[in-house]
Amino acid sequence: MKCGRGHELHLTHLPCARKHRCTVCHEVIPRSARRFMCRRCSYDVCFDCGMHDNCLIDRSKDSQKTLRSVFKEYAMGHQRSVAISTTYDIISPSDGHMRRHQHKRGLGVGEDCRYAVFSDATMNVDTFHLPTPSERPSSRETPSSSDPTIDLARAVVKRCMQLVDVVAAEVAAGFDCLDYEWLPKRPKSSVQKTKSGYLTKHPRRGMVLSQAQRRFFVLSQGLLQWHKDDSKNSEVLGALRIGSTTSVENDEELRIQTGDSHLILTSPEGDVLKEWAEALRKEAQDPPAEELFFAVHPCLSRSKDLNSSTCLDAEPSLLAWLLEGEDAPRGYSAATVGMYAEKIDTLIRAATELQKLQPIVSEVTAPVKVFGDIHGQLRDLLLLFHFYGRPDDDEEEGDDEPMSYVFNGDWVDRGRHQLEVMLLILSLKIVHPKQVWLNRGNHEDRQQNLRTTKIGSLGFDRACFEALGAEEGRRIFESFQSFFEWLPLAARIEQKVLVLHGGLGPGDWTLEDLSQVERPLVSKELHFTLEGVVYNILWSDPLTHKPENRRDPLKSFGVHDSPRDKHWQVMKNFGRDVTQRFCKAEGLELVIRSHQFTNTCKGYELMHDGYLLRVFSARNYMGTVPNDGGMLLIGYGEDSRGSVSLVVRPRSVERLTGANRGRQNTELPGSILSYEPYCPRKHLMQLIKPEQVRCFGWTHRDSDDFRSCSECGQDDIQVECYFACRGCGDYDICIDCAGRLSRGLQALPAFSPPSRSVDSPSGFSDDSDVKEASLEPDDLSQSQPKDEVEVQRDLPI
């Protein structure tokens, strides 16, 4: 690094004796913080700007320019091909109402996101720089149905989609619960009409029968209904419940009496009334249909020896119903459990063969949905399917391109419905092998499953034993481990977005190196494969920005030992300089990870200047953590300026512990802003508090620190709080303009003297110019209805 005069900058932590401000970003540098300084001239650069200059900007051609000018040109000219949507979606399962909010710092956006670019683009994958049709599937490809394994997988997917309908009914009824408390009702099978046909209701003696007097009657599940006609959308005119107290008499007329209800029916045809009378009497003898719940636990047995303790009266469990459907036998025995285990093993073998044919780094086409950790919480995954599109939909989001799905690991351990989640994921992979992509997580590992059980949680090994008994459960657990060893480690979306479970670790590896790794990857070899890179891909975490690290910024940069690593000395935590350097070397724009529920309790969190995004799909993790469950929708879009890019839109399902209430910044003077503003280049601006410099006991401000509003032209906005864009470098706005921009309104007009006009009698070109320039903020806020403001705030992108 060099200063404006070409002198080398040196890293130092000596006390800063000059302005205490960075020459590039004008941020206050703590007195004892590390910084880059020139030993010959007064040139100080904070550690953050110095590291960004090293990571992103090649100054070999601009060595004579100042660092600030080169940095500004890079920020203004660099257009990233992957942008984050300006808003995110969130739905409360208790009411099913979708809300759209803008991103806020501290709630989904980290403090270290100084130059992250957001986009107002709408996703439209039908146009805009899509690959040729030969490079992507033209429609959702499904394998032939001649294979019984594929038929079994399709049946499992179909029944899981019926569970989505069950969840939809719960949402419609305003019911919500934690996953481990969920007792789903058995989906109703297709209702077969016992009898249907036209009859005449309450005829008068001597009246000629006509078509207009006839009604269409339907008898089904103890309910007799009559409609205007036999069309599906026909209006129901009445109904009568048939039960044990119902009396049916048949002579010339059919008389039905239940309590106070009395119904008389006739028909011009001969034996029709006799057939109806027999059907009604039989329906009255059958017991009424009851809503059946699945077993309290998803397991088939909790006994060690199934042969000595069989049960013939228990209702089929959820796992049995997914495998057998309505044909699932009541109770359990060694034979039935062996049948279920064999079907699970069949799905595992088929999915394993598919993974052997696919590379260790999957290539995925947009549009795509990315799911984070699930941990056996089936209901949360079904909620995401219900609110944001099901895999069995032929067309989602109105697009013709097939939707891809990336499940980013950690499907097992701790949750109650681990085997059910695995059945769904395996079946989706078998049915849609080129649209469903699986990444291995740190819990898809034998040692981690056993450790989870050892510390007292429900590990995957214990879940298999409880569901299928000791013998069959051990066999299925080993079969799953062989499947885990062939799972890919990463997925690359449109060559620009990399999805992996953990992190980058030291970041000194390439995707080419990873593609050379041979599988199967057994549990005991993960620490040593590719010199620990594979282990870090599954386990490593990013370094988060903390305010106390300003004095020692090395804690937020570089590579550090991970507190998760007890004795291997392999696992590393990585800073944002590692993320940006890796993305630049591999031609990436974004890295997506999971592995942790977000500290902000959101279903997502943006970090490392927008180059790192994490997603977590299991809401209310383990029933104790109050976090939302999220997913990511990625597709092509065109923003208001006409630039085309991949757009990432977070979508969340709200946690159970009440509605999300965004934190309000009570330190802002005047009116409180509910949203932070964006600059014209879609950078999320940051609130800057007034900083005063103390020297020799008196307080003063440097003249170089004076700033003016870029919208209304107000001077000295640095006296109080104001918003600054660190990405543009020279875009600052006052609090009033920020409040209007955040609500979707126009900023305050800049005051400029009206121009003289010879033709105008008053000497001005137009009287409206004088009025517009003299408007006060209160007048402008009253010029637009309040309801219109709220509508503009919630506009979809």
Side-chain angles (χ1 to χ4, degrees):
M1 292 181 60
K2 296 182 180 181
C3 69
R5 298 181 180 180
H7 303 142
E8 291 288 341
L9 297 182
H10 299 272
L11 181 63
T12 181
H13 57 82
L14 295 176
C16 184
R18 194 173 173 268
K19 299 180 181 179
H20 298 275
R21 286 188 180 271
C22 174
T23 309
V24 176
C25 65
H26 289 284
E27 287 292 311
V28 175
I29 304 177
R31 182 175 177 82
S32 60
R34 294 176 182 266
R35 70 186 189 283
F36 293 91
M37 65 170 294
C38 180
R39 296 177 179 177
R40 298 185 182 183
C41 55
S42 300
Y43 203 93
D44 296 324
V45 178
C46 67
F47 190 86
D48 289 4
C49 292
M51 294 303 299
H52 279 85
D53 179 70
N54 288 332
C55 297
L56 300 177
I57 304 175
D58 183 11
R59 299 187 63 230
S60 59
K61 300 179 181 179
D62 303 317
S63 59
Q64 301 301 323
K65 294 183 180 181
T66 62
L67 179 63
R68 177 177 174 81
S69 61
V70 175
F71 199 90
K72 179 180 176 181
E73 290 178 5
Y74 173 82
M76 296 293 290
H78 179 59
Q79 177 65 35
R80 294 179 58 179
S81 58
V82 177
I84 312 299
S85 172
T86 54
T87 58
Y88 66 93
D89 302 326
I90 186 168
I91 294 181
S92 174
S94 59
D95 56 11
H97 177 64
M98 177 186 291
R99 304 182 302 278
R100 290 178 177 175
H101 300 298
Q102 286 185 328
H103 303 284
K104 295 179 63 178
R105 292 192 185 275
L107 293 177
V109 179
E111 293 290 340
D112 56 358
C113 289
R114 303 174 61 181
Y115 311 102
V117 179
F118 295 82
S119 174
D120 58 354
T122 56
M123 297 183 191
N124 185 358
V125 299
D126 296 330
T127 55
F128 313 132
H129 301 178
L130 286 176
T132 60
S134 60
E135 298 177 359
R136 62 167 68 239
S138 59
S139 61
R140 187 180 295 275
E141 298 181 3
T142 57
S144 175
S145 61
S146 58
D147 191 348
T149 303
I150 299 176
D151 294 337
L152 173 61
R154 286 178 175 173
V156 172
V157 172
K158 180 180 179 181
R159 294 176 191 123
C160 287
M161 296 305 104
Q162 293 179 6
L163 290 180
V164 176
D165 297 333
V166 172
V167 171
E170 294 175 351
V171 172
F175 172 76
D176 192 17
C177 66
L178 298 176
D179 181 83
Y180 74 90
E181 298 175 347
W182 185 42
L183 297 176
K185 298 178 182 178
R186 184 177 304 173
K188 295 181 179 179
S189 58
S190 57
V191 178
Q192 299 293 334
K193 298 178 182 178
T194 305
K195 191 169 182 57
S196 61
Y198 281 97
L199 296 173
T200 304
K201 179 176 176 292
H202 293 294
R204 298 179 182 177
R205 293 185 179 275
M207 179 179 293
V208 180
L209 298 179
S210 64
Q211 184 71 22
Q213 296 171 331
R214 301 171 65 190
R215 296 289 180 260
F216 186 76
F217 283 80
V218 177
L219 177 62
S220 175
Q221 290 189 337
L223 188 65
L224 180 63
Q225 294 181 336
W226 51 92
H227 307 253
K228 187 175 181 180
D229 51 52
D230 59 348
S231 62
K232 294 183 179 180
N233 298 326
S234 176
E235 179 183 1
V236 179
L237 302 179
L240 184 65
R241 173 65 65 181
I242 307 299
S244 58
T245 59
T246 303
S247 61
V248 179
E249 298 179 1
N250 178 29
D251 44 19
E252 295 180 357
E253 299 176 337
L254 179 62
R255 296 181 178 86
I256 308 171
Q257 185 172 1
T258 300
D260 298 334
S261 301
H262 191 67
L263 187 63
I264 301 177
L265 304 175
T266 60
S267 175
E269 301 179 5
D271 299 333
V272 172
L273 293 182
K274 295 182 180 179
E275 297 176 359
W276 275 93
E278 294 178 0
L280 289 170
R281 293 189 181 98
K282 182 178 179 181
E283 196 75 20
Q285 295 175 357
D286 295 337
E290 299 179 356
E291 293 181 336
L292 298 178
F293 290 83
F294 288 110
V296 177
H297 299 284
C299 59
L300 304 178
S301 170
R302 290 186 176 273
S303 61
K304 296 182 179 180
D305 187 4
L306 295 174
N307 293 322
S308 62
S309 58
T310 58
C311 177
L312 301 178
D313 298 328
E315 291 291 335
S317 66
L318 180 58
L319 180 63
W321 180 81
L322 288 177
L323 292 170
E324 294 290 336
E326 299 298 331
D327 297 332
R330 296 174 60 90
Y332 60 87
S333 63
T336 57
V337 173
M339 177 181 61
Y340 299 147
E342 185 59 33
K343 289 194 173 184
I344 296 175
D345 196 25
T346 301
L347 294 176
I348 295 174
R349 289 196 302 267
T352 304
E353 293 300 322
L354 288 174
Q355 297 296 358
K356 291 180 180 180
L357 300 176
Q358 295 179 346
I360 198 170
V361 179
S362 307
E363 296 294 340
V364 185
T365 58
V368 58
K369 294 178 179 179
V370 181
F371 295 84
D373 295 23
I374 302 173
H375 283 293
Q377 299 185 193
L378 178 64
R379 189 173 189 269
D380 299 328
L381 181 60
L382 299 180
L383 282 172
L384 290 171
F385 284 159
H386 165 60
F387 289 125
Y388 299 120
R390 299 156 45 143
D392 60 339
D393 293 340
D394 294 332
E395 295 182 0
E396 299 186 65
E397 307 293 335
D399 301 323
D400 295 333
E401 297 293 335
M403 182 67 67
S404 301
Y405 290 81
V406 176
F407 295 94
N408 200 24
D410 276 13
W411 313 306
V412 298
D413 282 343
R414 299 195 176 103
R416 176 181 170 184
H417 300 99
Q418 300 177 34
L419 280 173
E420 289 83 350
V421 169
M422 287 306 306
L423 281 182
L424 174 57
I425 291 178
L426 291 175
S427 301
L428 286 173
K429 181 62 181 177
I430 295 172
V431 175
H432 307 294
K434 295 185 179 181
Q435 279 75 46
V436 176
W437 307 94
L438 310 179
N439 284 347
R440 185 174 182 175
N442 65 305
H443 281 267
E444 279 69 51
D445 178 79
R446 182 194 308 273
Q447 293 183 354
Q448 185 63 20
N449 298 151
L450 299 177
R451 180 180 177 274
T452 303
T453 301
K454 185 177 180 180
I455 63 178
S457 298
L458 182 60
F460 188 49
D461 58 331
R462 179 184 164 194
C464 293
F465 298 161
E466 291 184 349
L468 301 171
E471 182 179 354
E472 296 292 348
R474 184 176 295 105
R475 182 172 70 90
I476 293 300
F477 177 73
E478 295 296 333
S479 182
F480 269 113
Q481 295 304 321
S482 63
F483 167 71
F484 294 157
E485 293 169 358
W486 283 94
L487 285 172
L489 296 178
R492 186 166 55 176
I493 302 173
E494 299 289 354
Q495 305 290 321
K496 291 297 182 182
V497 180
L498 182 66
V499 184
L500 44 79
H501 180 74
L504 302 176
D508 54 354
W509 52 278
T510 64
L511 292 178
E512 182 65 25
D513 298 335
L514 185 60
S515 63
Q516 302 300 324
V517 175
E518 296 183 358
R519 294 174 291 175
L521 291 172
V522 299
S523 178
K524 295 181 179 180
E525 297 179 0
L526 295 177
H527 302 81
F528 315 107
T529 306
L530 201 61
E531 298 180 354
V533 169
V534 172
Y535 190 60
N536 278 280
I537 289 176
L538 301 178
W539 278 95
S540 62
D541 299 314
L543 296 174
T544 58
H545 175 80
K546 298 180 181 179
E548 57 267 22
N549 291 347
R550 293 187 64 197
R551 294 186 179 275
D552 190 5
L554 288 179
K555 294 182 178 180
S556 300
F557 288 84
V559 181
H560 300 260
D561 292 335
S562 173
R564 294 177 184 261
D565 197 352
K566 302 300 181 182
H567 61 278
W568 289 99
Q569 299 299 319
V570 176
M571 194 187 311
K572 303 295 181 181
N573 288 352
F574 57 97
R576 61 179 183 264
D577 58 324
V578 177
T579 304
Q580 295 171 10
R581 191 181 300 112
F582 181 84
C583 290
K584 181 180 179 182
E586 297 296 325
L588 301 172
E589 295 286 350
L590 181 66
V591 176
I592 297 176
R593 69 182 296 267
S594 302
H595 191 44
Q596 294 172 306
F597 66 89
T598 59
N599 295 329
T600 59
C601 289
K602 288 288 183 182
Y604 72 98
E605 185 176 13
L606 190 66
M607 306 171 62
H608 291 187
D609 276 330
Y611 283 90
L612 184 67
L613 180 63
R614 76 181 162 190
V615 59
F616 199 86
S617 298
R619 68 182 191 126
N620 291 99
Y621 182 41
M622 297 188 296
T624 57
V625 181
N627 67 290
D628 299 335
M631 57 157 286
L632 303 176
L633 174 63
I634 304 176
Y636 283 96
E638 182 181 24
D639 60 13
S640 57
R641 296 181 298 167
S643 59
V644 178
S645 63
L646 278 176
V647 183
V648 182
R649 187 185 188 94
R651 292 182 157 183
S652 302
V653 175
E654 195 174 54
R655 55 187 179 268
L656 186 61
T657 56
N660 284 334
R661 294 178 175 87
R663 294 185 303 176
Q664 294 180 339
N665 195 338
T666 57
E667 299 179 358
L668 290 178
S671 60
I672 298 176
L673 299 182
S674 57
Y675 298 102
E676 291 167 309
Y678 291 82
C679 77
R681 299 189 66 85
K682 299 303 177 183
H683 297 104
L684 182 62
M685 302 184 69
Q686 194 162 24
L687 178 68
I688 304 298
K689 301 178 183 178
E691 294 284 350
Q692 295 181 344
V693 180
R694 298 185 60 85
C695 183
F696 300 105
W698 60 283
T699 303
H700 70 94
R701 288 183 178 274
D702 201 308
S703 59
D704 294 341
D705 296 334
F706 289 131
R707 295 173 179 264
S708 61
C709 179
S710 302
E711 293 292 338
C712 66
Q714 177 182 344
D715 294 328
D716 299 336
I717 61 175
Q718 80 285 346
V719 177
E720 296 181 351
C721 295
Y722 68 97
F723 282 89
C725 178
R726 294 175 173 178
C728 298
D730 57 352
Y731 186 81
D732 309 309
I733 56 178
C734 61
I735 294 295
D736 293 335
C737 292
R740 297 184 59 81
L741 291 176
S742 66
R743 296 193 301 269
L745 305 178
Q746 296 293 328
L748 295 175
F751 178 80
S752 59
S755 59
R756 292 279 182 175
S757 176
V758 180
D759 300 333
S760 176
S762 60
F764 295 100
S765 59
D766 194 353
D767 294 341
S768 61
D769 294 339
V770 181
K771 296 179 181 179
E772 181 178 354
S774 61
L775 283 176
E776 295 295 331
D778 294 337
D779 299 331
L780 284 174
S781 62
Q782 297 175 1
S783 62
Q784 188 167 1
K786 182 177 180 181
D787 296 339
E788 187 176 352
V789 174
E790 297 295 331
V791 170
Q792 292 189 8
R793 180 187 302 177
D794 295 332
L795 282 177
I797 67 169

